[in-house]
Amino acid sequence: QVQLVESGGGLVQPGGSLRLSCAASGFAFRDNAMAWYRQAPQKERELVARISSSGVVINSADSVKGRFTISRNNAQNTVYLQMNSLTPEDTAVYYCNTRIGLRRKDYWGQGTQVTVSS
């Protein structure tokens, strides 16, 4: 079955950096676009960035442009999110996502908490 396992979250001071990883299995990773979403307390889940199967960034949220970078390693079935210049507004649970099949069914990881605080 499809599995997405995020890691790399934690507590970081404002201005700091974190690198999130998402290990994927159970589907043809190299054939699917991947994405990172986030959900802050009492807010809706929002797209952070999406990357094509070949590694082209499809889109990213205006709020993270110039600070966050999505990338992938198809040989290791892993997608990354490099986050720099973090601010308290980046505090959220970050989720890995993919859509599979003709109906583009959404699959989600369990999420990893990122907290930006001094």
Side-chain angles (χ1 to χ4, degrees), residues 74-112:
N74 284 348
Q76 297 185 347
N77 285 8
T78 303
V79 61
Y80 303 99
L81 186 67
Q82 178 67 45
M83 305 186 295
N84 299 328
S85 302
L86 285 160
T87 73
E89 288 68 38
D90 296 315
T91 294
V93 178
Y94 285 71
Y95 296 92
C96 183
N97 166 270
T98 192
R99 294 172 174 169
I100 298 173
L102 293 176
R103 296 183 178 180
R104 312 308 294 158
K105 179 179 178 180
D106 278 303
Y107 290 87
W108 301 92
Q110 82 287 351
T112 186

Side-chain angles (χ1 to χ4, degrees), residues 14-31:
S17 298
L18 281 175
R19 188 194 197 201
L20 306 183
S21 299
C22 171
S25 61
F27 65 102
F29 180 82
R30 65 178 63 248
D31 294 336

Side-chain angles (χ1 to χ4, degrees), residues 2-117:
V2 175
Q3 284 195 318
L4 301 171
V5 181
E6 302 98 333
S7 61
L11 174 64
V12 63
Q13 292 187 342
S17 298
L18 281 175
R19 188 194 197 201
L20 306 183
S21 299
C22 171
S25 61
F27 65 102
F29 180 82
R30 65 178 63 248
D31 294 336
N32 283 271
M34 300 294 298
W36 286 97
Y37 284 73
R38 67 184 181 184
Q39 187 166 19
Q42 300 180 335
K43 291 189 176 181
E44 292 188 356
R45 193 171 296 189
E46 63 173 355
L47 175 69
V48 176
R50 178 173 283 116
I51 189 168
S52 75
S53 58
S54 60
V56 176
V57 179
I58 298 171
N59 53 4
S60 60
D62 288 342
S63 59
V64 307
K65 285 180 179 177
R67 300 189 300 123
F68 291 12
T69 302
I70 188 171
S71 62
R72 64 189 294 161
N73 184 326
N74 284 348
Q76 297 185 347
N77 285 8
T78 303
V79 61
Y80 303 99
L81 186 67
Q82 178 67 45
M83 305 186 295
N84 299 328
S85 302
L86 285 160
T87 73
E89 288 68 38
D90 296 315
T91 294
V93 178
Y94 285 71
Y95 296 92
C96 183
N97 166 270
T98 192
R99 294 172 174 169
I100 298 173
L102 293 176
R103 296 183 178 180
R104 312 308 294 158
K105 179 179 178 180
D106 278 303
Y107 290 87
W108 301 92
Q110 82 287 351
T112 186
Q113 176 71 48
V114 172
T115 302
V116 185
S117 175

